[in-house]
């Protein structure tokens, strides 16, 4: 077993790292049972509490699975499962929110490039329906924002890449409350304008313009975020 005695002060963290290394290296294969807390504590030279804390953290992330009366097993992880460890993204602070929007700018423009290789008529139908619902929800900015974000999710989902889809779900959940505030402050005009431009370019299969409009849309959103933050500060 790839385990060595703990020397560092941060015992629980080191236990976590060693268990993770065994999983990543495939020394402990998916669906296999890992050693008991007692066995791990003895092998590592640490207390059972330190082992339990590390194991519970991994169970919470979906990397390990605890079966009542049966022990603890390595989860049968899919690519989507690895995004569980990014959940702290949901608690991103105000000081980092602009960085998250900048990251979204990279993702959104990249999505258009991938969509250019995989687009179908069904994508246009879904986006057109979404745009009509946006126009009909102007009296409720919370609902408008939800539909606004759904527009971008539809593009991400249409690519057919599970990593992109799941990353965008995390971004969406983290940004929704902030986006509602921005929509209330600056209105819906900008989102409607750019979504129409992006949609029309996609309908014409003009992916160069679609990417350009998406980048402008994200850039304007980032400017609004910074303006809003400065007003709060």
């Amino acid at each position: 077993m790839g385990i060595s005695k703990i020397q560092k002060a941060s015992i629980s963290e080191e236990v976590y790292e060693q268990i993770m290394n065994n999983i990543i290296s495939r020394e402990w294969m998916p669906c296999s049972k890992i050693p008991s807390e007692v066995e791990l504590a003895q092998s590592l030279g640490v207390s059972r509490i330190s082992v339990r804390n590390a194991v519970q953290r991994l169970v919470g992330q979906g990397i390990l699975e605890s079966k009542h009366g049966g022990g603890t097993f390595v989860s049968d992880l899919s690519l989507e499962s690895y995004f569980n460890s990014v959940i702290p993204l949901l608690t991103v602070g105000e000081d980092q929110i602009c960085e998250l929007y900048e990251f979204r700018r990279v993702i959104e423009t990249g999505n258009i490039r991938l969509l250019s290789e995989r687009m179908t008529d069904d994508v246009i139908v879904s986006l057109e329906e979404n745009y009509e619902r946006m126009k009909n929800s102007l009296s409720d900015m919370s609902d408008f924002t939800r539909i606004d974000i759904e527009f971008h999710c539809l593009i991400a989902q249409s690519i057919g890449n599970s990593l992109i889809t799941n990353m965008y779900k995390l971004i969406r959940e983290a940004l929704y409350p902030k986006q509602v505030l921005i929509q209330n402050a600056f209105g819906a005009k900008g989102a409607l304008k750019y979504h129409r431009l992006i949609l029309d370019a996609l309908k014409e299969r003009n992916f160069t313009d679609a990417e350009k409009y998406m980048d402008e849309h994200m850039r304007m959103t980032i400017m609004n975020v910074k303006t809003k933050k400065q007003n709060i500060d």
Side-chain angles (χ1 to χ4, degrees), residues 18 52 59 63 80-81 92 95 121 127 139 158 213 231:
Q18 288 211 35
R52 185 176 300 119
V59 169
I63 296 170
E80 294 92 330
S81 303
V92 65
D95 291 341
D121 291 338
L127 293 176
S139 60
S158 298
Y213 293 136
N231 291 338

Side-chain angles (χ1 to χ4, degrees), residues 138-153:
L138 292 172
S139 60
D140 184 343
M141 280 297 101
S142 293
D143 194 37
F144 178 90
T145 301
R146 179 182 59 78
I147 300 170
D148 176 348
I149 296 174
E150 183 186 304
F151 180 91
H152 298 273
C153 285

Side-chain angles (χ1 to χ4, degrees), residues 28-43:
W28 294 349
M29 296 295 290
C31 302
S32 67
K33 185 176 180 180
I34 72 169
S36 68
E37 288 182 5
V38 173
E39 292 171 323
L40 284 171
Q42 291 175 345
S43 299

Side-chain angles (χ1 to χ4, degrees), residues 46-65:
V46 300
S47 69
R48 287 186 62 182
I49 293 176
S50 295
V51 171
R52 185 176 300 119
N53 289 341
V55 168
Q56 288 177 347
R57 179 179 169 189
L58 288 158
V59 169
Q61 292 175 338
I63 296 170
L64 292 178
E65 180 182 1

Side-chain angles (χ1 to χ4, degrees), residues 7 12 19 38 43 54 69 74 78 84 87 90 96 114 117 121 130 134-135 138 148 158 183 185 194 202 218 224:
Q7 302 295 329
S12 182
I19 294 175
V38 173
S43 299
V74 179
S78 61
N84 289 337
I87 291 299
L90 303 182
Q96 295 177 303
L114 283 174
E117 304 169 4
D121 291 338
N130 173 276
M134 280 183 68
K135 290 197 301 182
L138 292 172
D148 176 348
S158 298
Q183 299 287 24
Y194 280 108
L202 290 175
M218 292 297 100
N224 288 341

Side-chain angles (χ1 to χ4, degrees), residues 161-172:
N161 184 304
S162 62
L163 298 182
I164 293 172
T165 298
N166 282 277
M167 176 55 77
Y168 200 85
K169 286 179 181 177
L170 287 173
I171 294 173
R172 175 189 63 190

